[in-house]
Amino acid sequence: MMLLKILFRNAFHNKLRSSLTILGIAVAILAFGLLRTVISSWYSGVEAASTTRLVTRNAISIIFPLPISYQEKIRQIAGVKIVSYGNWFGGVYIEEKNFFPNFCVEPKTYFQLYPEFVLDPLQQKALLADRKGFVAGRKLAERFGWKIGDTVILKGTIYLGNWDFVLRGIYHGRDETIDETQFFFHWTYLNEVIKKRSPNWADKVGFYMIGISRPDIAPDVALAIDNAFKNSLAETLTETEKAFNQGFIAMSGAIVTAIQMVSFVVIFIIMAVVANTMAMTTRERTGDYSIIKTLGFGAKDITILIFGESLIITATGCIIGIILTFPAAKAFGHSLANYFPVFLVSAETIYYDIAAAFLIAVLAAIIPTRHAIRIRIADGLRRIG
Amino acid sequence: MTQQNNTIVEIRNVYKSYHRESLIVPVLHDITFDIAEGEFLALMGPSGSGKTTLLNLIAGIDKIDKGTIRVGDVDISTLSETELAHWRANSVGFIFQFYNLIPVLKAIENVELPLHLTSLPTKERRSHAEMALNLVGLSHRMDHYPGEMSGGEQQRVAIARAIVTDPTILVADEPTGDLDRVSAEEILSMIERLNTEMGKTIIMVTHDPRAAQRAKILRHLDKGYLNDDASQNPL
Ligand SMILES: Nc1ncnc2c1ncn2[C@@H]1O[C@H](COP(=O)(O)OP(=O)(O)OP(=O)(O)O)[C@@H](O)[C@H]1O
Ligand SMILES: [Mg+2]
């Protein structure tokens, strides 16, 4: 149809202006997409959380430990299938900036409970056989070039001194959303050393990780666990893994909110830019729209022309922006792998991109369309002379 | 074709004023006259006398304050905005001083544009448009954009666009106002031929005496009043 021809050609008539606007939209969509990806990768731990796992910690604070003796009692509670446990170790490899998460765990139960960390059975056997053995995620091992059998020394920040470990296995994520940057070693190794140094601090764990048989019993089991330790020296707080992970994020909630706001500001700014472009182009075309109306075309046709042009420009920018988001996110994720172990552009982010672009297109077109429809033909034609 | 005396446009006691801020500026006063079918009328008068305003009213792109305007058997003063648009599409061909072609459409597409409001199938739209372009001698410019044509050529495309729907009346507002002498003569001859050979009723606003000479009848507007005596062109 002729109107489509007109609006397509109008959209690219002023090449410089259209290109600059499209570039602006592409950059805005790219920025928006990256910021949203930062947010979603922040939440990736929450998303990846299993609904059949609970975490039990000290009711007062995560920084206080629980006795190892709780393990037996928890295991006996109905619905509990596996009990594992661990401590945050907080070791540093060579220097501070080489940050990665490191924990001591009970490896046998831990890898049962976390099937998303895929470990070769032979490597697992080797790990269990070596008190000083450890397992690293694939990305972590690659980052420092560790090979099986290598000795790695971590400097303790909570548990002072140099700790030496031997790499016995490298785990892979079950899929690309799984964090492959973690470091796990034997809880018993840590405990033995502490026992020698300060027996009072020995036989303590930071948290219990509990596998239950069905998601729907989670609240009951959590309650049963906490009730079991009511009025003891160390009362417990049990929650789903998701809630537990969320608790960590809540601490950085303000930052997330700030990023979220910036992402909307970006969209708002580009909206103003596109609105300005549309206002300029439609003003220049006042005469065209008037002649089109003179020939007998109506408000509907003018609306199609202006909204169509706005949509084409924004859609082009949006598509370019989305296409650029993937390599950009890859580069971004690569250089910030330490902070964002999982940095993937989600489908949701793309939907947000498209929704934002659509919103931009529509809002930018409303006022120019109203103006073009309302202006009297005689006045619109007079503008040409 | 012989001139018929059937009235095609009937203008009765038409008043028109514009509102400028709080001021009301009267532009046309009690205009009454008829235009016969097949007539070629030149509307003359000094700048600001209301020629364009009157032409716009007859062509249905502006609304009168008082009076009636009939074109054919339609009282266009009673039509709604939408009905008026529909009526224009079928009944009026427009030629403007600045051609007013759509810059992003090729010559042929510009001519075809008004046919998109008719029920004509695609193929026939194209062949009608080709015929109209042929008539103004621009078949070889079919695929050119307005920016690639001279003023005279653009005006010829505009004429093709005006006649392609076979309208009841043709209105032209200073069609030669932006052209050099040679191109102007060419355009005038073409308009004249539309009248003499095809029997089109033409209403042309101009203040160029040379252009007015081509018309059969002259009417003068002065400060919004019609000088009652329609003068038969001496030609
Ligand atoms: N939209 C408008 N608002 C206010 N005044 C207007 C408007 N359009 C026209 N006028 C006034 O109406 C009067 C007649 O204008 P019109 O354009 O009909 O004159 P014209 O005879 O065509 O003049 P020209 O030969 O210069 O084209 C002028 O005084 C003009 O300023
Ligand atoms: Mg005028």
Side-chain angles (χ1 to χ4, degrees), chain A residues 1-3 5-6 9-10 13 287-288 291-297 301 376-378 381-382 384-385, chain B residues 18 52-53 56 61-62 85 88-89 94 96 98 100 102-106 109 112-113 116-117 145 161:
Chain A
M1 194 176 160
M2 203 62 86
L3 286 181
K5 239 179 224 174
I6 298 177
R9 292 187 192 158
N10 276 350
H13 193 55
D288 290 4
I291 194 71
I292 285 167
K293 288 201 281 186
T294 302
L295 295 177
F297 290 90
D301 303 298
R376 291 170 52 253
I377 295 176
L381 289 172
R382 229 172 261 274
I384 302 175
Chain B
Y18 289 112
T52 297
T53 305
N56 286 347
I61 56 182
D62 212 345
R88 281 199 306 272
F94 295 88
F96 300 98
F98 298 104
N100 292 21
I102 305 297
V104 295
L105 292 183
K106 296 170 182 168
E109 292 166 338
E112 219 185 297
L113 184 59
H116 280 264
L117 289 168
Y145 288 96
R161 179 178 67 185

Side-chain angles (χ1 to χ4, degrees), chain B residues 5-18:
Chain B
N5 278 319
N6 299 343
T7 298
I8 191 108
V9 182
E10 190 185 285
I11 300 158
R12 290 288 175 274
N13 312 103
V14 165
Y15 287 81
K16 175 74 183 174
S17 48
Y18 289 112

Side-chain angles (χ1 to χ4, degrees), chain A residues 107-336:
Chain A
K108 194 160 190 252
T109 47
Y110 188 80
F111 283 100
Q112 268 173 11
L113 193 54
Y114 288 83
E116 59 261 53
F117 298 133
V118 181
L119 185 60
D120 178 271
L122 284 177
Q123 293 185 358
Q124 185 168 356
K125 224 168 143 189
L127 171 71
L128 295 178
D130 181 359
R131 198 173 50 87
K132 287 191 172 187
F134 79 99
V135 169
R138 183 186 57 86
K139 281 187 193 159
L140 182 65
E142 273 171 17
R143 181 172 163 206
F144 296 115
W146 295 337
K147 300 275 172 298
I148 301 283
D150 282 2
T151 295
V152 170
I153 295 173
L154 296 190
K155 201 158 51 186
T157 54
I158 304 168
Y159 310 97
L160 299 178
N162 282 339
W163 298 71
D164 56 315
F165 306 97
V166 181
L167 183 62
R168 291 302 177 195
I170 295 172
Y171 76 83
H172 293 251
R174 186 181 46 200
D175 58 59
E176 52 186 0
T177 65
I178 304 303
D179 184 355
E180 290 181 332
T181 68
Q182 304 192 40
F183 181 114
F184 302 107
F185 65 96
H186 289 267
W187 177 85
T188 43
Y189 177 30
L190 179 81
N191 200 46
E192 279 170 19
V193 176
I194 292 174
K195 215 174 231 164
K196 279 186 219 147
R197 286 190 191 167
S198 43
N200 281 346
W201 288 99
D203 295 331
K204 298 272 198 294
V205 304
F207 39 86
Y208 285 98
M209 294 154 283
I210 297 147
I212 56 176
S213 45
R214 292 194 325 267
D216 57 301
I217 58 169
D220 297 337
V221 177
L223 198 69
I225 295 172
D226 291 344
N227 281 340
F229 303 107
K230 261 244 151 73
N231 301 320
S232 69
L233 267 177
E235 293 197 345
T236 62
L237 176 73
T238 304
E239 51 197 352
T240 60
E241 186 177 85
K242 191 166 192 153
F244 179 76
N245 290 353
Q246 223 146 22
F248 276 104
I249 293 162
M251 295 192 259
S252 47
I255 297 170
V256 174
T257 310
I259 293 174
Q260 216 144 15
M261 270 162 61
V262 171
S263 76
F264 289 123
V265 166
V266 168
I267 292 301
F268 184 77
I269 291 172
I270 197 64
M271 197 179 285
V273 171
V274 178
N276 182 51
T277 300
M278 285 312 295
M280 271 172 21
T281 55
T282 53
R283 178 149 312 159
E284 280 165 21
R285 281 197 256 282
T286 301
D288 290 4
Y289 297 133
S290 295
I291 194 71
I292 285 167
K293 288 201 281 186
T294 302
L295 295 177
F297 290 90
K300 190 186 100 224
D301 303 298
I302 301 295
T303 308
I304 291 173
L305 281 178
I306 300 177
F307 272 77
E309 183 177 346
S310 184
L311 273 172
I312 285 174
I313 289 180
T314 9
T316 308
C318 177
I319 289 168
I320 296 172
I322 288 174
I323 291 171
L324 292 179
T325 303
F326 289 93
K330 206 164 179 180
F332 202 81
H334 211 75
S335 62
L336 291 176

Side-chain angles (χ1 to χ4, degrees), chain B residues 162-173:
Chain B
I163 58 174
V164 75
T165 53
D166 192 24
T168 318
I169 55 172
L170 273 180
V171 299
D173 194 350

